[in-house]
Amino acid sequence: MYVFGAGAFGRETCDAIVASDRAVSGFISDVSPERPVSHPVVSLKDLGDLDDQEVVIAVSDPTARSEIARRLDLQNARYGTVSHPLAGFGSGVSRGEGSIVLAQTFVSTNARLGRHCHINYGVTFGHDSVAEDFVTILPNATIGGEVRLCSQVTIGSGAVVLPRLTIGEGAVVGAGAVVTKDVEPGIVVAGVPARVLRPAQG
């Protein structure tokens, strides 16, 4: 499996793959890593057709991840999934291609993760909740039951989203926020309780 991205989350994803006793072929990156990495780094243009290799995209920004997936689709990439062996899953959980779940996270009963979702360390993801494609949940966040995180949402470290809420497409929930009502698409909320910090652009 190749890991696209040789930054911090790429290295953490690599650790999760190795902990699962799976082989890492290398990192894909068009820029030199800022810190040492444990496997070879190759550029995407040098790989050619990827139809015989699994890839996961370990780039935290949802918009960038979406664009990278579009590029990889053109090279016939096959997307794997990564789950650290210390992550837990309830019954009936589904995970889309390219999803990454790190250690000490628990994804509860009948939850659904879309394509290319990132679930970081120590997250609790509640029963019957949905994370649509390209969602990023940062460490130690808590997502209540029956929550919907629409595509390209980012949930900050330590944030709490109360049950049965919807976080609109492209919205950002700041670190440590407590979300008590639905969040409109494209806005940034922060605080306890969470309030609009920055309205949607455009």
Side-chain angles (χ1 to χ4, degrees):
M1 178 180 288
Y2 276 102
V3 177
F4 193 110
F9 192 72
R11 290 182 280 122
E12 291 172 332
T13 298
C14 181
D15 289 346
I17 297 168
V18 171
S20 303
D21 294 324
R22 298 166 70 188
V24 176
S25 301
F27 293 93
I28 303 172
S29 180
D30 293 329
V31 297
S32 298
E34 293 183 359
R35 296 180 184 273
V37 294
S38 55
H39 292 76
V41 179
V42 296
S43 68
L44 182 58
K45 65 182 179 181
D46 291 336
L47 282 175
D49 200 313
L50 290 169
D51 61 1
D52 62 342
Q53 284 281 354
E54 284 191 323
V55 181
V56 288
I57 306 171
V59 174
S60 294
D61 180 78
T63 302
R65 194 154 75 244
S66 176
E67 175 59 24
I68 291 165
R70 188 192 65 79
R71 292 170 58 195
L72 289 172
D73 288 345
L74 295 175
Q75 292 186 231
N76 300 313
R78 293 189 300 113
Y79 300 106
T81 60
V82 174
S83 298
H84 194 285
L86 295 180
F89 296 89
S91 61
V93 170
S94 64
R95 289 175 287 162
E97 62 180 14
S99 62
I100 300 170
V101 180
L102 297 186
Q104 306 301 334
T105 281
F106 186 74
V107 181
S108 192
T109 305
N110 292 333
R112 180 168 65 83
L113 306 180
R115 299 172 64 247
H116 304 291
C117 284
H118 288 181
I119 314 296
N120 273 262
Y121 296 105
V123 169
T124 300
F125 193 82
H127 66 87
D128 303 293
S129 289
V130 175
E132 295 181 357
D133 298 346
F134 301 104
V135 164
T136 297
I137 306 178
L138 296 172
N140 299 312
T142 299
I143 309 300
E146 300 180 43
V147 166
R148 177 171 292 273
L149 305 179
C150 296
S151 62
Q152 299 191 28
V153 159
T154 298
I155 305 294
S157 297
V160 176
V161 180
L162 296 186
R164 295 178 293 281
L165 297 180
T166 296
I167 312 299
E169 180 176 354
V172 176
V173 174
V178 177
V179 181
T180 61
K181 58 185 179 180
D182 292 346
V183 174
E184 295 297 318
I187 68 173
V188 178
V189 299
V192 180
R195 294 180 173 86
V196 176
L197 185 65
R198 190 175 73 225
Q201 297 180 350

